[in-house]
Amino acid sequence: MMRSRVATVEDLAQNGAGRGEARRRIPRTDLLLADPRLAAATRRLGRPLVKAAIARAQDRARNEEIPPEQVADAAVAELPPAAATLTPVINATGVVVHTNLGRAPLSPAAVAALAAAAGNCDVEFDLAAGARAAQRGRGAIAALRRAVPGAQAVGVVNNNAAALVLAATALAADREIIISRGELIEIGDRFRLPDLLTSTGARLREVGTTNRTTVADYREAIGAQTAFILKVHPSNYRIEGFTAGATVAELAALDAAVPVVHDIGSGLLAPHPLLPDEPDAATSLRQGASLVTASGDKLLGGPQAGLLLGDADLVRRLLRHPLARALRVDKLTLAALEATLAGPPPPVARALAADPASLFRRSERAVAALARRRVSASVVDAEGAVGGGGAPGVTLPGAAVALPEALAAPLRWGEPVRRGEVPAVVGRVERGRLLLDLRSVDPDDDERLVAAVLAAVAASRPAGEDA
Ligand SMILES: *Cc1c(COP(=O)(O)O)cnc(C)c1O
């Protein structure tokens, strides 16, 4: 007769006893919290995050993935690198202003200003007088005025969308905004400008067609209900072919009583030689715009903010509206914005200006550094982009480091990234290769980029295989 291979009652009892015994040896949470490494982490990260890491390690021991003796080490390995989950990323996509990666990276000067303002600071206090200051964030406001001398007055709100909502609310509630049908745009992720504007109670008076809107179209729409004419830079798409549009100068000349509000989008304060089709604040104001709105974290290269630039009277009306309080920026934004405007050129400006030869040299240096560690990569021509819904159709020729596509995932989210040892790296996959385009990488980060590639290669090599 065949003996079946079913476990006997005795077997089960013995196993259960072994498991129970191992479970009893799993260190208790209070003991683990006393481990010097975990005690130090408690001061740095706070108790709940450390206790969560401990609980994960204890669970692994309970599931017999690790022996009880290793629970303390496993808890240390489970610790998050920081108290916040945002992971630093090296943007090697070649897209200079990448919305999903936090748009403009701040300059070191802006980061320092932000850190200095993080505690208590004189954002709304006059230290000399020892009393409340007349203006909140006066340093940032003064820097913005110096940067755009053509603006009689300036203001800063949460973002460009907030600037538009404030303009529509303060100037056009229950009245009409005249706008071309070619400028009813969706900026991204279902954020549609017409919906934003009408949410304030303003009515849109659409004029012209998708491809052609003339000055006469605007002129005929002006009436007693008109609050302002809105001109929007269709920053993320281009209409080519049989087209017509009205310039700011033409619209400003229509009717002295009808202000022209110009949403220039990207935040160029003055013309940029490489981006001739991108509108800028100085030119728009000189051509007669009464109010210019723009983002702070696109081509300006600063923190998320909405800039209001223009007529003293209009800007004052906007900033005195009750809604302005709900859209105001914090001290960190004011600090970073001031340093971006008054300090050295931000990374976005450097990235835009980087010439192909320097990008090629940097790529070659990275490839050589990888080759020294026996990782093969090559330098290829690459085309970057402005991004951030700016300068559609403009490509920025440069160079990239080409690697096997299989490295894309570990570079984004490999073990060393999770442990906070190297930054996450996001490149772009093109024709079966991973390209790391150095245009959008700060030159000071080139070495960290190489270190991240080496870590990803080491982590994805089968165990035992040498580098
Ligand atoms: C990006 C953009 C916006 C939205 O700006 P936020 O600062 O993201 O609110 C609005 N209008 C135009 C033309 C844009 O390009």
Side-chain angles (χ1 to χ4, degrees), residues 322-372:
L323 182 63
R325 176 57 200 257
L327 306 176
R328 83 172 188 183
V329 290
D330 72 338
K331 59 187 177 173
L332 303 179
T333 300
L334 291 165
L337 180 63
E338 179 177 359
T340 301
L341 292 164
V348 164
R350 282 168 68 178
L352 278 179
D355 68 300
S358 77
L359 295 171
F360 205 83
R361 277 195 303 277
R362 286 171 57 199
S363 302
E364 279 186 325
R365 271 200 296 274
V367 166
L370 292 170
R372 282 196 292 279

Side-chain angles (χ1 to χ4, degrees), residues 165 168-169 172-177 195-204:
V165 162
T169 306
D174 294 324
R175 298 179 67 207
E176 283 180 3
I177 299 170
D195 299 344
L196 182 82
L197 294 168
T198 52
S199 75
T200 66
R203 293 190 302 278
L204 296 187

Side-chain angles (χ1 to χ4, degrees), residues 99 103 158-164 183 185 187-188 191 193 196 231-236 263-267 278-279 293-298 303-307 388-390:
T99 295
R103 288 196 181 158
N158 180 58
N159 57 9
N160 192 8
L164 290 166
E183 297 176 3
I185 59 172
I187 304 295
F191 162 50
L193 202 79
L196 182 82
K231 187 156 177 63
V232 179
H233 177 49
S235 49
N236 52 8
D263 170 13
I264 62 167
S266 69
E278 219 32 45
T293 74
S295 298
D297 54 353
K298 292 181 178 173
Q304 177 188 305
L307 310 183

Side-chain angles (χ1 to χ4, degrees), residues 2-15:
M2 291 239 310
R3 292 278 307 264
S4 66
R5 295 285 303 127
V6 176
T8 63
V9 174
E10 294 93 290
D11 284 344
L12 287 173
Q14 226 165 31
N15 260 339

